[in-house]
Amino acid sequence: MEELGVTKEKEVPEDREFERIKISCSKMNNPYSRLFYASIILLNILTLVLCVIYLNNVQKVVSLNTVFENINSLFVVPFVASILLVVFLKFLPMYLKLYQRTKHRKFGNAMSTATTYNFFETITICSNSAIKKSAMNLIDNGVDKSIAIDVTYGSKFFEKLTVVIYSFVLYFLGLILFTNSINVWIWIVAGIAILANLIFVLNVIIFRYNKKFMIDFVSRFVKFLYKIKVIKDYEKVYTNITDKLIIYSKEFKQNGVIIFIEVLCVFIKFLVKCGLLYLIMSSLNFGDVKLLLQLIVSCTIFDLVIAVFPLQKGTLIYEILFVYLFSNLYFEGYVVWALILYKFFDYFVHTIIYLITLIFKKKTYNIAKNTSN
């Protein structure tokens, strides 16, 4: 019973999601989870080393001296710039959305959240864990929980939408031009990844314009899962899904310019990754512009297949898939160096940047603590 004169606040989806975030982050912060993250990073180092050893036995890997002779400052500068650009492209839309909602220039919050997201997206099995950790990072830095959740969760929709658009076009272009170059099962898995992203995008769009239909559909779907004993708690799953749809659909209310920048940043990030692979080819003195389209299609297929693999960032298949898709684009013996450079850019650099951020935050905290004392 409500007390006289006290109005009970209506619980909103962000409140319930905040409770889920707290539970998820408490699990992610325990010693066993940290051990898991460390083991995933070490496993990726091990698989990379084993792949290099195997390829060196199968095809003689070009010596490091030969690679250094070809890779000069004209490669190093764009390579470092690509790393910084990828971080910036994640940071910019987040910073703009935070400024729009709070009217404060939260540069540090947006930067630390972007590096947190990139790191946890790389090492956690579910990408939602990265979103939850990013939201908690903003909340811990004083951002209102509703704003933090809307900013971090909302960005996922337009990111998925952009991926669906360019991957759909490049997928069918690849089927037309390079069907025989890639195994049919890889085409099928990549197609499943596009379909999964498309379903997510369509669900949010339909919910945005026809809530009644989508809520009824979710209810029927969850009831079906409950009846066949796939789930145990109907109410919990139903509420979780509808809350997510409400939060994701709020992204449509964003400023049109910010939405455009967000979409553009996702697309540019993809082009940067493709450009880096071509830069590696060019630096080794055999880059052919005729191979550029095949490289872009291969990069699209690579990202799609890795996205549906159970372990995050394709752990255990990353190296195999890379060598399979890109070996015909590099001279024999050079694909190993392309793999090492690209995996450093695509995987290990996020760990390094995140650790630097943690060290910086700890030093800043200690300085502030000493000053207050």
Side-chain angles (χ1 to χ4, degrees):
M1 179 183 285
E2 293 181 17
E3 293 181 19
L4 188 64
V6 177
T7 305
K8 186 178 179 181
E9 276 191 32
K10 185 181 178 181
E11 193 177 32
V12 295
E14 285 83 358
D15 293 329
R16 290 188 291 267
E17 190 59 30
F18 177 60
E19 295 303 317
R20 299 185 194 109
I21 289 171
K22 286 197 295 185
I23 293 169
S24 180
C25 287
S26 66
K27 292 178 181 177
M28 293 168 72
N29 291 332
N30 68 45
Y32 295 107
S33 294
R34 291 174 182 174
L35 183 62
F36 172 77
Y37 304 149
S39 64
I40 286 290
I41 294 168
L42 291 173
L43 183 59
N44 274 274
I45 295 172
L46 180 62
T47 53
L48 181 61
V49 171
L50 290 175
C51 183
V52 171
I53 293 171
Y54 172 76
L55 288 174
N56 192 41
N57 292 329
V58 175
Q59 52 174 268
K60 188 65 179 176
V61 176
V62 174
S63 68
L64 189 60
N65 289 334
T66 305
V67 173
F68 276 134
E69 287 174 6
N70 293 319
I71 295 180
N72 50 38
S73 59
L74 293 177
F75 168 81
V76 174
V77 174
F79 184 78
V80 174
S82 298
I83 293 171
L84 297 175
L85 185 57
V86 165
V87 176
F88 177 77
L89 290 170
K90 187 66 186 176
F91 150 81
L92 181 61
M94 196 169 293
Y95 171 75
L96 292 174
K97 286 194 282 187
L98 278 172
Y99 180 72
Q100 183 191 26
R101 297 289 298 274
T102 65
K103 300 305 177 186
H104 294 293
R105 300 187 183 278
K106 295 183 177 293
F107 180 90
N109 289 349
M111 181 58 74
S112 66
T113 303
T115 55
T116 298
Y117 181 88
N118 287 334
F119 173 70
F120 281 94
E121 185 187 35
T122 301
I123 65 165
T124 51
I125 294 175
C126 178
S127 61
N128 280 335
S129 299
I131 297 174
K132 289 178 179 178
K133 191 69 177 177
S134 302
M136 185 56 79
N137 184 74
L138 286 176
I139 294 166
D140 289 342
N141 282 287
V143 178
D144 179 77
K145 63 183 178 184
S146 294
I147 295 175
I149 291 169
D150 288 346
V151 166
T152 50
Y153 279 63
S155 61
K156 184 178 179 180
F157 171 73
F158 281 106
E159 181 180 334
K160 292 287 186 185
L161 177 62
T162 310
V163 170
V164 165
I165 294 170
Y166 74 68
S167 59
F168 182 85
V169 173
L170 291 169
Y171 179 85
F172 282 99
L173 190 63
L175 276 177
I176 295 168
L177 300 175
F178 311 113
T179 306
N180 298 325
S181 301
I182 300 174
N183 184 278
V184 64
W185 286 107
I186 293 179
W187 285 115
I188 291 172
V189 174
I192 291 171
I194 294 175
L195 183 61
N197 287 333
L198 182 61
I199 290 171
F200 169 80
V201 169
L202 288 177
N203 283 338
V204 176
I205 292 174
I206 293 170
F207 182 84
R208 174 69 176 84
Y209 294 102
N210 195 335
K211 287 187 176 68
K212 188 176 182 301
F213 169 81
M214 200 63 208
I215 288 173
D216 184 55
F217 173 78
V218 170
S219 177
R220 290 172 184 269
F221 178 68
V222 177
K223 279 179 182 176
F224 170 73
L225 294 179
Y226 180 74
K227 284 179 181 178
I228 62 174
K229 301 188 184 301
V230 173
I231 60 172
K232 294 181 179 180
D233 190 332
Y234 164 81
E235 190 66 34
K236 182 179 179 181
V237 175
Y238 170 76
T239 306
N240 192 359
I241 294 174
T242 52
D243 284 350
K244 294 281 197 309
L245 286 171
I246 291 168
I247 293 168
Y248 288 138
S249 65
K250 286 183 179 180
E251 186 74 352
F252 287 93
K253 298 177 182 178
Q254 290 286 344
N255 181 285
V257 175
I258 293 178
I259 291 174
F260 175 76
I261 292 172
E262 193 168 16
V263 170
L264 188 64
C265 284
V266 174
F267 185 61
I268 292 173
K269 183 180 176 181
F270 169 73
L271 292 180
V272 168
K273 294 172 72 174
C274 296
L276 183 66
L277 283 166
Y278 185 74
L279 177 66
I280 295 169
M281 288 175 61
S282 301
S283 298
L284 297 175
N285 294 328
F286 54 90
D288 187 347
V289 73
K290 294 178 183 178
L291 297 175
L292 186 57
L293 180 58
Q294 187 177 350
L295 184 145
I296 293 172
V297 170
S298 296
C299 192
T300 304
I301 301 300
F302 182 76
D303 285 346
L304 288 170
V305 173
I306 280 177
V308 296
F309 191 71
L311 287 178
Q312 196 65 2
K313 273 292 182 183
T315 301
L316 299 177
I317 68 158
Y318 190 103
E319 290 77 10
I320 297 169
L321 188 62
F322 185 94
V323 172
Y324 174 78
L325 289 172
F326 297 101
S327 58
N328 61 330
L329 299 176
Y330 292 89
F331 286 154
E332 188 173 334
Y334 282 97
V335 70
V336 170
W337 296 110
L339 168 63
I340 292 170
L341 288 168
Y342 186 72
K343 183 151 190 178
F344 175 79
F345 164 81
D346 192 39
Y347 189 92
F348 295 115
V349 74
H350 298 307
T351 301
I352 295 169
I353 293 174
Y354 181 69
L355 291 175
I356 292 171
T357 305
L358 285 182
I359 293 168
F360 177 77
K361 285 172 72 174
K362 189 174 181 180
K363 284 190 174 182
T364 305
Y365 173 77
N366 289 337
I367 291 170
K369 188 178 179 180
N370 293 332
T371 304
S372 63
N373 292 335

